[in-house]
Every structure is written in structure tokens, then in C-alpha cells.
Amino acid sequence: MTLPPASIFEPPDLIAALPDRPFEFSQAAGREADAIVAGPATALFSRLIGDQESESTWLVARRVLDAFLDRSVELADDASADQIAEQVAGVRAGLTTTIQSLDVASVGADARDAVLRQRAVLGFMTGCWLDVLSQPATQPSVIVNRLFAHHFTLRGEANPRRTLHYRRRQRLEQDGVFLPELAAADFLAAADARPLTALAGSFYLALSRLPANFLPELVGVHYAVLTLGVDDLLLGLDPMIGEAELRSVLAAYLELAGPAERARLHAGLRCAIDLEREHVEMLAELAAWHAGLPLESKVAAVIARHAPFAGRHHKDVEVGGRPLAQTFTDPELDLARFLAEFRESKQVRRTPDGLSAFVRAYKFGGPMFGIFSEREAALFAGWVASVQAGERPPIEVVQNTVGDERADARAAAIRASRPADVVVAEPGEPSDRQLFYRLVNIENFASTLPLAAQRAEQLFEAAEVLFTRGAGGRYTDASFFSYTPEALYARAEQVYWDKLVKPYKPLTEIPDRDEVVFLQTTYALGALVDATWIHRTANLGRSDRRCDAALFSIYADEMGFGDLRKNHITLIHRALHSMDIRLPHIRDAAFMEQGDLPDPLYGFSLHQLCMALFPDTYYNEILGYNLAIEMFGLGELRLHEVQKLNHYGFDDCYEQAHLTIDNISAGHSRQAADIIVAYLDEVRRVLGDAAVDREWRRVWRGYASLAYFVEHALLKQLETESEADEDLSLLI
Ligand SMILES: [Fe+2]
Ligand SMILES: [Fe+2]
């Protein structure tokens, strides 16, 4: 079939937005999403950060974006980057004044601590919208790569101790604010996150789930959040990316954008400005609330925090004629009444040592020792002293409702949101070409996720056939072995030397031109989704492990760190063009009709795309696959291709890049082995040796699953043998 020239893709990729497409979800996802958005804001946040693999989370993300992004207001969409910058600078000036008023001298240590904790939730997330912006549908877009360079910077150039997140965490720790990891179960509680904070965080998370479809809005959000720099102002840190660079990317985007995209950029800009302004106002309210809190109210808050855990521990202790065990399990617990009775009780009365039974109880040696933090204990001590001094102020228990009105409105908007572009559609049984299209554009076809998971699992299982016979592979050795770091390195070396390097002899005869081009087309589909298998690992909340940063480092390298000249997707396009192979972009529906790349090769790329969508479930398999595919870039096969390409004057940049960058002494292949070793070492330290065996088996089936696609001769032989066995068993 001849394609219309309009559908042919030619770098540079100047997209400012993907084409408008509906978002397909299954009926079941709709019901689950309803249940998720009906819950509290903190549960919504936890769901969005904890689950990056299920359809319903993606639908929730779509609904959150719909509720927050107001596309209806028409703003002057021809504003230049300088004009936008001026507008944002004006907002920043206003916020700066408020933020400066939140220093410890003005608001006191307690309020400052509360403000820092509260803001950390958003501060740790900055830039998460760039996590998977680079993906098969968006590469090698000019603007996506400009933004990828920012992503690389914010990720500390793949050094986990240099990331924006880590810098902020360190700064907070200097101020005595210690928080668990962002995706930890107790993170929001430790930060004492208000519903409004959780909702603002949910917006940024939602954007990080659908970044390709919301590229224009994302550019606006990115510029606004980083330029406003609320966290840096609050923490006294220098920005990691200066305003000039941010503005230059904004200007680059405006040049690519038409009126519709500009309007969408403004929607993102406005949304982020509103969220940041709203949050800073909330921080100021929070500080004021803390500063103005009567002592009794602070005490009541501590009691309220601990009461649910007190259970029946207090046995016979009575206050106000009622056993504490009863008081604290009462769902209608009246804190003001309890405090009024407690301050008159014998537990608070001064004892001969100058303390009280209550204070003695929580000191060392007392039955309540270790229950309260130092800060809480100090608070109680102050309160008991004031009671003993005869102070009897009216007891007013002030609830913390900071930001709740805005939060209620925002939560209601999410519940009410029914984006017009969400459609209910099941994937059916797509052909390989249709499946490829859906997986490349997965944001629009989330209903395909269960199918992708099933396909990946089947492949990994099937590949285990090579655990026993894989030694006979031509380019791989997937035969299973007991894991030790030494054994893994030895296997990698052995495959490299025995299978990839030693058999190499320069070709004495070069196949004809058509054959050379044909063989290249059989590799091209895989190359067009180069590095896809790791494009979703190491996202927000998943970059705590050493190996995550190393995986990100490989991915960043594959994308040229945002430099298009070094980007592997650019390289493969260059190579294909030199052979006069002109294709639509893989994200375009027209690609389903392409006639240059052979059909039987789709399975390989589909496998890569499928596993990539489950970076949590198939983490181990991805690590093994990563080693296999990085090694596949080396040795004889590539060297022959280079020779053939050179012979006909084709561009060998793609092959050359892989021969060097994937090298086994320090390149991607070596890094891939190191990553497995680092990961299994962590498993061993946390879960012990038995767990290592289990996890290792899964890593190795990831390796085998690449072999399963490249060892045609071996698999054919195994198939013939098993058919022969079957025939034999029939005879018996
Ligand atoms: Fe590559
Ligand atoms: Fe590589």
C-alpha cells in the first residue's frame, strides 16, 4: 500500500501536541475509578503514587486533570515567553512576601515545622510530570528532549544524592524535619498532609500519568512551578534550573505551538499558578493556626492523635468517674470535656517530687514511657505545670480545618468530572499491528493494559524452555544457573567472548543491496522502540533503590540526555532514511499500514512494550531483559551490519553507537549486570538468601525472553525434538 506523503515522518519531530484522541477504558475501570475518587484525598494521592499499572488509576488521573484544568477560559494565547515570564514573576513576587513571613522568627518553631512538613509533600514531587514524558509516542520530539534535559538535571544527572528531591530532603533534615520515603505507607501521616495538599499532589501525579496527551499543559505547569520556586524560597535553596533556561524552553515550545496548543499551555500555567498560590496561602494559614493555638488545644490534639491506640491499656485508670478504656474507645470522644475533667483529676495533681502521676507515667520507668515524642512530652509538662499553678482557661478545642473549604470544592470537582473524551471500549482481539499502535499510545488505550500484562506473562513463562537448553543459543546462553555475582559476571563474559566476539570474521562477500536493506528492516521495529523496556522504571516513589538510578542513567544515555544528535531514536531514523525507508511515526495510525517492516517481527517489539508497562510487577524480568538486550548490541552481528551498511554507503550511526555505548567493560552491558547484582544484594540484605533464589529466577526469565526472540534456530530444533517426542509417545 502506498502511503500519502503527509503521513511520512521526517525528523526533526516538531510536535506541540499529540493528535486529539479519546481515552479508552473498560467498564470495570469506570466503576473502580468512581470508588477511588469517592474516598478521602489522602487515599486518592496514595493510589496515584502507589499504582502505576492499572487502568483505573489512569482513568482517575484523567478525571483529576479534567477537574483541575480549566480549558474554558480564553486568554490572550499569543503572549510571548517574555510576557508570560513577566506575569509569573509578578506572582512570584507576591508569594515571596508570604513565604518570607513563614520563617521561624516570625511564626515559632512548631509552626515552621508544620509548614515545612506540609510543603515537603509537593516539594518532593517537583518535576514528576517529566517521569514518562519521554516514551515511544513522544520520541524524538524536539520539545520532549529539551524537557528531558531538565529531567536529567532534576534527577541529579542520575546520581541519587544529587537530585532535587534529595537536596530538599537534606535541607529539611538540617532543620530537624525527617520524613519517610514519598511512597511509604506512613508518608502523608508523617507530613500531617492536609486534604488540599494531597489534592494538589494528586494533580501533579495525574499529569505524570498522562504526560504525552497533556504536553501543552505540562509545559505550562513545568514553567510555572519551577519559576515560582516556592520550595526553594521556603528552604533557601538555589534553583537547579535557572529562569533563563526555563524561559528558553517555553519560547521554543511557543514557536512550535498553534493557537489551540497555546491556549492549552495557558490552562496548565494558570492551573499551576492557582495551585501554588493556594498552597502558599494555606501554609500561611497553617502557620497562623499553629501560632494562635491555645495550649489546651495543642494538648487535645496530642490526645486525639494517641487515643485510638490507647485501647484498653489503661485498665482501671479513671478520669471524671469513667474508665479511660471506655473514654478513649468512644467514637464520640468529647476532648474538651475530657480535658476539663483531666485537669481536675488526681493524675495531674502535684506529687512530692514536684511532678505528677501523669508526668511520672510517661517518664523513663513509667508505664507510658516511649509513647510520646519529646516535643509532645514537653507540651504535656508545660500544660501540667500551668494546671498546677491554678490556671483554668476556658477549654477550646480548635480543629485543624486549614484549606478544607478549597479541598472540598476540588474533591467535588473530581467526583463530578466526566471528561467527554473518555469512552468505554474493550480492546477485543487486536492484530499485532493494532496492538503495537495501542501500546505505543497506551495513554489513550489503557483498556489494553490487562492484555499487555497477560502477553508479557505468557512470554516470560514460555521463555523458560531455554532454562534447560539455552546453552545452544547462537547469541545468548539462557541456560539457568545458580546465582552468585561472580557466576553472573562469568556468564556475561562467556557469552560475550564465545558467542559474540570470537565467531567474528569480516565478511568476504557482501549480500546484495536488497538483502542488506531487508535485514535492517527486521531490526528496525525494535530500534524504533529502543530503550522502551526501561522507560517507566525509576519513577516518582520508585527511585529509592541504587539500581533505579542506574537504570535511569542507561535510559538517559539512550535518549542522548536530551541532545537529539545522540538520541537513539533519531539515529535509527537517520539510518532508515539513508536506506530510503520512509515510515510514518509509530504513534500515527498510518503506521499500522506501513509496508516496509515485516510482520513476523512485531512480537519482539510488542514484548518490549508490554513488559515496560509493568515496571513494578515485572521489575526483575526487566532487569534480566535489560542485560540480554544491551549485550545483543555487541559483537559479530553488529560488526557485520556495519560492514554491509558501509559497503552500500548507508548510514551506520545506529550500529556504531551501540557497539560502543553498550560495551561490556563499562558500558550498558556492564551496567546492566551491575544493576542485577545491586538489586539482588538488596534483596539478600532485606529478605535473606532464600528470597534471592526466587527473585533471581524471575530476573533470568527476563534474560531468556530476549533469547526467545533471537534464537530462531535453537527454538526450531527444540520444537522438532518435542514433536518427535510426542510422536514417540504416541507409538508407545
Ligand atoms: Fe540504544
Ligand atoms: Fe544500550
Side-chain angles (χ1 to χ4, degrees):
M1 161 179 281
T2 0
L3 292 160
S7 62
I8 297 300
F9 171 72
E10 192 95 41
D13 184 358
L14 301 176
I15 52 158
L18 291 182
D20 277 336
R21 291 195 192 106
F23 295 83
E24 292 189 9
F25 294 98
S26 69
Q27 203 118 43
R31 283 191 297 272
E32 281 174 41
D34 281 343
I36 296 167
V37 299
T42 45
L44 174 69
F45 178 96
S46 301
R47 178 66 184 235
L48 278 165
I49 200 168
D51 178 359
Q52 56 175 349
E53 298 183 347
S54 66
E55 216 194 319
S56 46
T57 313
W58 292 32
L59 176 52
V60 167
R62 177 69 197 93
R63 287 177 63 174
V64 170
L65 293 176
D66 181 65
F68 280 59
L69 290 165
D70 177 11
R71 291 202 202 166
S72 62
V73 190
E74 287 289 323
L75 269 198
D77 58 357
D78 54 352
S80 67
D82 289 345
Q83 285 166 325
I84 293 173
E86 204 184 305
Q87 182 204 345
V88 177
V91 178
R92 182 181 152 98
L95 295 184
T96 307
T97 316
T98 312
I99 292 168
Q100 281 167 349
S101 74
L102 298 175
D103 66 338
V104 71
S106 316
V107 298
D110 280 357
R112 174 78 182 169
D113 180 83
V115 164
L116 292 181
R117 275 170 203 279
Q118 194 68 221
R119 181 63 205 181
V121 178
L122 302 187
F124 288 169
M125 298 173 69
T126 305
C128 68
W129 45 85
L130 301 177
D131 277 353
V132 293
L133 173 62
S134 166
Q135 54 176 278
T138 60
Q139 280 291 354
S141 138
V142 169
I143 197 69
V144 164
N145 282 285
R146 288 292 304 268
L147 289 164
F148 191 84
H150 287 185
H151 186 40
F152 190 59
T153 303
L154 298 177
R155 286 293 200 87
E157 301 186 346
N159 180 340
R161 296 286 185 268
R162 293 276 183 274
T163 64
L164 180 70
H165 177 147
Y166 194 76
R167 280 158 47 108
R168 289 181 177 170
R169 187 176 279 279
Q170 262 186 319
R171 183 67 195 81
L172 283 167
E173 288 176 357
Q174 284 167 9
D175 279 358
V177 176
F178 296 89
L179 288 166
E181 292 302 331
L182 191 58
D186 56 345
F187 174 75
L188 289 182
D192 217 351
R194 302 297 312 152
L196 189 59
T197 301
L199 288 170
S202 296
F203 170 75
Y204 296 125
L205 278 165
L207 188 59
S208 81
R209 292 281 173 264
L210 298 166
N213 275 268
F214 287 85
L215 175 61
E217 291 86 351
L218 184 151
V219 174
V221 167
H222 183 68
Y223 179 78
V225 174
L226 274 90
T227 308
L228 291 175
V230 169
D231 301 276
D232 293 335
L233 285 169
L234 188 64
L235 298 172
L237 289 169
D238 290 331
M240 280 185 93
I241 303 174
E243 197 278 329
E245 168 58 21
L246 292 165
R247 194 186 304 196
S248 124
V249 171
L250 178 67
Y253 182 78
L254 289 172
E255 255 177 54
L256 302 174
E261 287 95 17
R262 283 167 174 247
R264 290 178 58 187
L265 176 140
H266 279 280
L269 205 60
R270 266 197 318 276
C271 175
I273 289 174
D274 284 352
L275 282 175
E276 293 300 283
R277 196 159 27 201
E278 190 173 85
H279 204 252
V280 169
E281 278 165 17
M282 196 198 88
L283 294 178
E285 274 175 51
L286 185 69
W289 182 82
H290 267 275
L293 210 55
L295 183 57
E296 279 69 22
S297 211
K298 289 185 189 174
V299 170
V302 177
I303 294 173
R305 192 153 53 236
H306 289 279
F309 308 105
R312 296 194 193 88
H313 287 300
H314 291 99
K315 284 186 197 129
D316 315 326
V317 184
E318 283 192 9
V319 169
R322 196 177 175 208
L324 279 183
Q326 209 180 322
T327 307
F328 288 151
T329 48
D330 182 354
E332 305 283 301
L333 170 63
D334 178 347
L335 281 168
R337 193 181 131 195
F338 170 72
L339 265 189
E341 289 164 353
F342 191 36
R343 71 183 174 187
E344 305 309 332
S345 72
K346 61 177 190 236
Q347 284 87 353
V348 176
R349 223 162 289 151
R350 192 192 305 269
T351 41
D353 54 6
L355 300 171
S356 64
F358 173 55
V359 171
R360 279 215 315 272
Y362 66 73
K363 279 187 174 294
F364 181 69
M368 288 172 74
F369 176 69
I371 301 276
F372 302 120
S373 70
E374 233 172 89
R375 199 187 280 260
E376 288 170 338
L379 187 70
F380 274 129
W383 177 70
V384 168
S386 78
V387 170
Q388 290 173 349
E391 285 174 35
R392 291 293 183 275
I395 297 172
E396 193 195 348
V397 177
V398 192
Q399 292 293 337
N400 186 351
T401 55
V402 172
D404 284 359
E405 218 171 289
R406 279 303 297 144
D408 288 347
R410 287 200 178 275
I414 297 172
R415 279 178 208 128
S417 110
R418 294 282 178 278
D421 51 11
V422 166
V423 296
V424 176
E426 308 285 341
E429 286 178 24
S431 68
D432 279 0
R433 283 169 179 254
Q434 288 166 336
L435 184 60
F436 183 81
Y437 173 69
R438 284 172 163 267
L439 296 176
V440 167
N441 296 297
I442 190 66
E443 290 183 9
N444 300 94
F445 298 102
S447 57
T448 316
L449 283 166
L451 202 64
Q454 201 185 8
R455 199 179 160 110
E457 181 60 36
Q458 278 168 357
L459 236 303
F460 290 130
E461 265 173 44
E464 286 190 37
V465 69
L466 294 171
F467 275 14
T468 44
R469 299 290 301 278
R474 173 68 187 80
Y475 305 106
T476 61
D477 179 355
S479 59
F480 189 78
F481 60 99
S482 288
Y483 172 79
T484 61
E486 296 74 24
L488 175 66
Y489 288 122
R491 172 62 64 89
E493 288 279 324
Q494 173 224 321
V495 169
Y496 176 67
W497 289 108
D498 295 352
K499 294 182 186 274
L500 302 174
V501 175
K502 273 188 206 153
Y504 172 68
K505 282 190 196 68
L507 294 170
T508 46
E509 236 176 279
I510 304 285
D512 70 34
R513 194 176 187 278
D514 285 353
E515 206 178 310
V516 169
V517 172
F518 177 76
L519 194 62
Q520 277 287 312
T521 64
T522 66
Y523 301 136
L525 199 59
L528 286 167
V529 290
D530 198 0
T532 294
W533 61 93
I534 44 172
H535 86 281
R536 286 174 187 268
T537 53
N539 293 335
L540 187 70
R542 288 156 186 83
S543 42
D544 317 334
R545 294 168 293 202
R546 229 175 83 200
C547 35
D548 294 322
L551 276 177
F552 175 67
S553 172
I554 294 184
Y555 183 71
D557 208 0
E558 301 272 348
M559 296 303 120
F561 310 106
D563 180 345
L564 275 172
R565 291 164 306 174
K566 299 177 187 157
N567 175 301
H568 289 195
I569 312 298
T570 312
L571 297 184
I572 184 60
H573 280 292
R574 248 176 70 185
L576 288 170
H577 286 184
S578 79
M579 288 175 267
D580 209 25
I581 296 172
R582 299 188 186 272
L583 297 162
H585 193 283
I586 54 170
R587 64 178 166 248
D588 286 342
F591 192 83
M592 282 189 278
E593 313 294 332
Q594 65 80 20
D596 289 297
L597 313 184
D599 276 289
L601 277 311
Y602 271 74
F604 174 70
S605 298
L606 288 173
H607 180 51
Q608 231 161 265
L609 286 161
C610 285
M611 79 173 87
L613 295 169
F614 305 94
D616 296 331
T617 304
Y618 290 123
Y619 188 77
N620 296 26
E621 285 83 355
I622 289 172
L623 297 191
Y625 185 87
N626 187 44
L627 173 67
I629 196 161
E630 293 296 357
M631 289 192 66
F632 195 57
L634 303 172
E636 186 200 24
L637 194 138
R638 296 276 181 195
L639 289 164
H640 282 167
E641 285 310 297
V642 168
Q643 201 185 343
K644 289 187 264 182
L645 293 172
N646 288 340
H647 182 81
Y648 291 108
F650 297 141
D651 196 333
D652 67 351
C653 60
Y654 187 79
E655 307 289 343
Q656 287 288 7
H658 287 86
L659 275 171
T660 49
I661 206 172
D662 291 341
N663 77 77
I664 199 155
S665 54
H668 294 175
S669 296
R670 173 69 195 206
Q671 291 165 29
D674 290 344
I675 288 169
I676 294 172
V677 171
Y679 173 61
L680 291 177
D681 181 52
E682 282 187 27
V683 169
R684 185 185 57 77
R685 283 183 284 139
V686 177
L687 299 166
D689 287 329
V692 172
D693 293 344
R694 201 175 55 234
E695 301 295 310
W696 159 245
R697 198 181 163 83
R698 288 188 42 211
V699 170
W700 200 244
R701 67 181 197 149
Y703 178 93
S705 75
L706 177 107
Y708 194 73
F709 281 105
V710 300
E711 302 295 358
H712 310 290
L714 176 63
L715 284 159
K716 192 96 202 122
Q717 188 192 332
L718 295 180
E719 209 177 296
T720 322
E721 283 174 17
S722 83
E723 274 166 20
D725 284 351
E726 250 173 58
D727 291 347
L728 205 62
S729 69
L730 285 176
L731 287 175
I732 298 167

